Amino acid sequence: MEMILGGDESSDSRIREYVFTQADFERIRKLIYNHAGISLSKGKQNMVYSRLARRLRANGLTNFNEYLNFLERGNPEEWEAFTNALTTNLTAFFREQHHFPILEKHVEKRKNEGKIQLWCSASSTGEEPYSMAMAMVQAFKTFSPPVHILATDLDTNVLAKAQLGIYSLDKLEKIPKEKLKQFFLKGKGHHAGSARVRPELRNMITFRQLNLLDESWPIRGPFDAIFCRNVMIYFDKQTQYKILKKFVPLLAPDGLLFAGHSESFQHAVDLFKLREKTVYELANKQR
């Protein structure tokens, strides 16, 4: 998953519906950082205005100060909407394809060790955890592998889409035809133009909302592998280290952490060491 905090969506301040000051923007930057660890760059004013103006309309408010005061009073539904508005999720099936053969080889060595536990920590609309599930079917040569995948995300909207497991055919164009036939059920009638993942894949996955910045995570390890790809780049180094430190006790001693192509954890060599391209293992396996 990659959280793209928008291109800077154009919005001419002369025709804006609401006054949007620099102070409003700085307040929003602080709120989203404290709540979700996301560092909004200074060039995102127009994108933030465009996304959040919709929330002002939805709540019948007349200015950003009113909206932010409303937010800070602790309305949980609005915090959810605020966070969802500022995160757009970019993902794809078998993205960073070199990771999946590594994952398959890794779990094959554990075939006789009981249930395999995997965690997709930024699942977005589901393409990544479903790709993991397909890899597990291939590794174990059965649609009932001894595997459970926990798939979490901050954004409740994308989690709802992920749980449905329905994708437009254009989202599946890069998947080889044999995999499409094996893992998807093509829609008919008013479902034409879309496909649903096979129920066996869906049954392998539990989708749950989780904020990686929460002080405690209501999940249990150990996980044989954790995917946390293309999300760390939106956190500062201090926040990255905090999250990585919390991964350590949840990962099996010989477990793997999969990162995104743009991510490097050189600032956390006491926690993780590079095993191969964007794949890490614990720096200290004796825990």
Side-chain angles (χ1 to χ4, degrees):
M1 188 280 276
E2 184 171 352
M3 288 192 300
I4 302 296
L5 300 175
D8 203 10
E9 299 169 18
S10 61
S11 180
D12 192 324
S13 60
R14 292 173 297 177
I15 57 172
R16 280 178 173 168
E17 184 178 354
Y18 306 101
V19 172
F20 185 54
T21 68
Q22 185 64 30
D24 292 330
F25 178 62
E26 293 301 330
R27 193 173 165 192
I28 290 164
R29 289 182 72 201
K30 184 176 180 180
L31 286 170
I32 195 65
Y33 178 80
N34 289 341
H35 182 65
I38 295 168
S39 298
L40 275 175
S41 70
K42 293 183 178 180
K44 297 298 182 185
Q45 290 97 328
N46 288 337
M47 181 276 288
V48 168
Y49 174 85
S50 175
R51 302 283 181 85
L52 292 184
R54 303 166 195 166
R55 298 309 311 156
L56 269 69
R57 293 186 207 105
N59 287 286
L61 301 173
T62 60
N63 60 67
F64 273 85
N65 188 57
E66 279 185 354
Y67 175 69
L68 297 175
N69 287 342
F70 170 61
L71 192 67
E72 288 181 322
R73 285 197 290 270
N75 183 294
E77 291 80 13
E78 193 53 40
W79 270 110
E80 185 175 295
F82 171 77
T83 305
N84 290 352
L86 293 179
T87 57
T88 302
N89 298 269
L90 174 64
T91 187
F93 286 100
F94 293 101
R95 191 179 183 197
E96 303 194 44
Q97 194 167 2
H98 71 282
H99 281 161
F100 295 95
I102 296 170
L103 178 65
E104 289 182 41
K105 185 178 179 181
H106 180 62
V107 301
E108 281 173 359
K109 296 182 293 186
R110 291 160 170 72
K111 282 186 176 180
N112 300 316
E113 297 180 12
K115 196 86 166 179
I116 302 294
Q117 301 284 348
L118 308 177
W119 180 18
C120 174
S121 65
S123 68
S124 186
T125 46
E127 287 90 336
E128 183 168 288
Y130 286 125
S131 297
M132 294 165 70
M134 290 180 230
M136 294 302 92
V137 169
Q138 292 176 168
F140 288 92
K141 297 179 173 57
T142 173
F143 270 95
S144 302
V147 176
H148 176 253
I149 300 169
L150 174 64
T152 64
D153 202 279
L154 175 64
D155 188 331
T156 53
N157 290 336
V158 297
L159 281 173
K161 293 177 183 177
Q163 286 184 302
L164 288 175
I166 298 173
Y167 299 93
S168 59
L169 294 180
D170 63 302
K171 295 274 189 181
L172 309 176
E173 286 177 350
K174 294 183 180 180
I175 298 178
K177 288 184 178 179
E178 62 273 14
K179 271 193 171 70
L180 272 177
K181 188 174 180 180
Q182 183 182 10
F183 294 116
F184 291 86
L185 303 173
K186 197 171 181 180
K188 298 178 181 179
H190 65 279
H191 293 296
S194 65
R196 184 193 289 268
V197 295
R198 283 186 55 157
E200 294 93 335
L201 300 181
R202 175 65 188 81
N203 293 340
M204 222 182 295
I205 305 170
T206 299
F207 290 98
R208 290 172 61 185
Q209 196 272 346
L210 180 75
N211 186 344
L212 290 174
L213 250 67
D214 285 347
E215 284 304 313
S216 62
W217 297 337
I219 56 177
R220 289 185 178 181
F223 292 99
D224 297 284
I226 297 174
F227 273 50
C228 187
R229 308 190 305 170
N230 303 305
V231 63
M232 288 290 200
I233 52 175
Y234 296 99
F235 300 140
D236 59 26
K237 296 295 185 186
Q238 182 180 357
T239 304
Q240 287 180 18
Y241 187 89
K242 181 180 177 182
I243 293 170
L244 289 169
K245 189 173 182 180
K246 289 169 72 176
F247 281 153
V248 170
L250 292 173
L251 195 63
D254 57 349
L256 299 180
L257 173 64
F258 292 81
H261 67 279
S262 303
E263 296 165 327
S264 172
F265 302 147
Q266 290 298 314
H267 57 297
V269 293
D270 58 321
L271 303 177
F272 288 96
K273 62 182 180 181
L274 189 65
R275 178 164 169 171
E276 49 191 301
K277 184 181 177 183
T278 59
V279 181
Y280 289 81
E281 60 187 3
L282 291 168
N284 179 11
K285 295 186 180 183
Q286 303 300 319
R287 292 190 281 107

